Amino acid sequence: MLDFEITPRIRDCLQDEPIFSDPLLAKYREESAKVIPFDVLLSMVEILQKGTGDVRYFHQLIEGSTVVHPIIEEPPSDLSPQQQAEKEARLIRLKAEQEHRDYLRMTKNIQSDRKHMETLNAGRELQGAKDAISIGINMIVSAVTLFVAGYWGFNKAFGDQIMV
């Protein structure tokens, strides 16, 4: 439940307005009352809007007030120390699993690249084989070209003489 600190403005509205004669509001008029529930403030605003006072809206009523959060105490545990330890271990395991799922979700696009790394490595290995084959073909073509160029040049230089 949401509570607000009772400010002098709220206390003045409670005490000055004769329309707040409701016995349920009497406990909030006392000086010992420090907080007032949100729903009571809303009902006060509804009543004030029908009246002729200077406070007609909720924000005017709670001006200067702070929200008071109630202190929630944990009920005492009925678990034995062994059960408590098992509960803590399970909680730690569940947190670790959740963190792992979050990590996988955040890095899923990175891991998909890693899955294709094997095929990329195969492509690199094929690239090496392709380079070796092209070097071999280049050497054979170069040797044949040099032989043809030498034969043609020798025939131009010495004519159609047959070498014995």
Side-chain angles (χ1 to χ4, degrees):
M1 177 145 256
L2 191 62
D3 294 336
F4 285 86
E5 175 187 4
I6 295 180
T7 60
R9 174 174 239 154
I10 295 172
R11 197 172 303 280
D12 289 345
C13 285
L14 282 169
Q15 292 174 352
D16 291 344
E17 297 291 332
I19 54 178
F20 294 122
S21 60
D22 187 2
L24 296 175
L25 295 176
K27 64 181 178 180
Y28 300 116
R29 284 192 202 103
E30 299 171 5
E31 289 295 322
S32 62
K34 300 293 181 197
V35 295
I36 188 166
F38 177 73
D39 54 346
V40 173
L41 285 174
L42 285 179
S43 62
M44 282 178 60
V45 169
E46 289 174 5
I47 294 170
L48 288 171
Q49 286 178 346
K50 295 174 186 172
T52 58
D54 61 337
V55 176
R56 298 188 59 83
Y57 298 104
F58 184 75
H59 73 278
Q60 293 172 332
L61 185 63
I62 64 166
E63 185 176 22
S65 182
T66 58
V67 177
V68 178
H69 299 285
I71 299 172
I72 300 173
E73 296 180 13
E74 290 187 27
S77 177
D78 295 338
L79 301 175
S80 68
Q82 180 185 3
Q83 290 173 329
Q84 187 69 22
E86 290 173 359
K87 182 180 175 184
E88 291 294 325
R90 182 172 183 265
L91 182 64
I92 291 169
R93 180 181 53 85
L94 290 173
K95 282 183 181 179
E97 288 176 2
Q98 183 62 38
E99 288 174 0
H100 182 67
R101 281 192 298 268
D102 290 344
Y103 174 77
L104 290 177
R105 183 180 47 80
M106 287 187 298
T107 60
K108 69 180 175 185
N109 62 346
I110 296 170
Q111 289 180 346
S112 65
D113 292 343
R114 289 182 184 167
K115 291 177 184 174
H116 300 294
M117 285 299 237
E118 294 174 6
T119 57
L120 292 176
N121 287 339
R124 288 184 189 137
E125 291 172 7
L126 290 176
Q127 181 67 33
K130 183 179 161 186
D131 290 343
I133 290 171
S134 69
I135 289 172
I137 291 173
N138 190 15
M139 290 176 65
I140 292 171
V141 170
S142 296
V144 170
T145 304
L146 285 174
F147 176 77
V148 170
Y151 183 77
W152 181 78
F154 186 79
N155 277 339
K156 282 289 189 187
F158 299 108
D160 288 330
Q161 299 175 357
I162 300 177
M163 294 177 28
V164 181

